[in-house]
Amino acid sequence: MPTNHTPNYQLNQWSRDDRILMEDFNADNAKIDAAIAEKVSIVTGSYKGDEQESRFIDLGFTPQAVLLFRDNGATYNNSSYYGGLALPDRPVRRESYPILSVVEGGFMVYNKFVSNDKIVTNSKTYTYHYIAFK
């Protein structure tokens, strides 16, 4: 049996007089495997706008967050909205109009005029770049 354990994951730490058991190693490996599986991974990509009023961008997973920029790095300029940071249940909005939203399997982008503002996360004029957190 180990004398001590690590502070974060309670992994076994033995002293010279401790008896080392295979079960202790297997338990440590299971804890390490679970900790690695919980880590966030990042997926990057881009798409060319197609001018549709709304468009689903398929990631093959539901992201924890999506950060979207126009090809020049902008998210807003001169009353035009090009992206931002969207979380599940926290879309980027201009009043009640969505700009960018996380949905099951990916995210949604939009193309719409609202008063004097433009929501242009799917304009055919631009290429958009995203970072999705898995």
Side-chain angles (χ1 to χ4, degrees):
M1 294 294 293
T3 301
N4 296 307
H5 295 89
T6 62
N8 295 314
Y9 293 104
Q10 300 302 307
L11 302 175
N12 295 303
Q13 291 188 316
W14 293 270
S15 64
R16 288 192 190 274
D17 297 332
D18 291 338
R19 183 168 180 221
I20 299 174
L21 301 174
M22 181 179 56
E23 291 82 10
D24 295 331
F25 278 105
N26 290 341
D28 282 353
N29 286 337
K31 289 176 186 176
I32 292 167
D33 186 65
I36 290 170
E38 288 180 14
K39 296 296 180 189
V40 171
S41 62
I42 297 171
V43 174
T44 62
S46 63
Y47 65 92
K48 178 79 172 152
D50 66 7
E51 214 67 35
Q52 296 297 309
E53 188 170 319
S54 65
R55 179 178 176 189
F56 173 68
I57 306 298
D58 187 356
L59 297 174
F61 64 91
T62 303
Q64 295 178 23
V66 174
L67 186 56
L68 179 67
F69 298 95
R70 203 187 92 186
D71 51 12
N72 69 355
T75 60
Y76 177 83
N77 187 30
N78 293 331
S79 300
S80 295
Y81 296 86
Y82 302 113
L85 176 64
L87 308 170
D89 302 321
R90 295 279 189 242
V92 178
R93 295 177 103 39
R94 196 272 188 203
E95 296 176 2
S96 63
Y97 299 97
I99 297 168
L100 170 66
S101 56
V102 171
V103 296
E104 186 173 332
F107 61 96
M108 294 291 297
V109 293
Y110 305 89
N111 216 44
K112 186 172 187 68
F113 288 93
V114 179
S115 301
N116 293 325
D117 294 336
K118 294 181 272 183
I119 295 170
V120 283
T121 53
N122 194 34
S123 170
K124 68 180 178 182
T125 307
Y126 306 116
T127 297
Y128 299 87
H129 301 278
Y130 62 84
I131 302 170
F133 299 85
K134 192 173 185 181

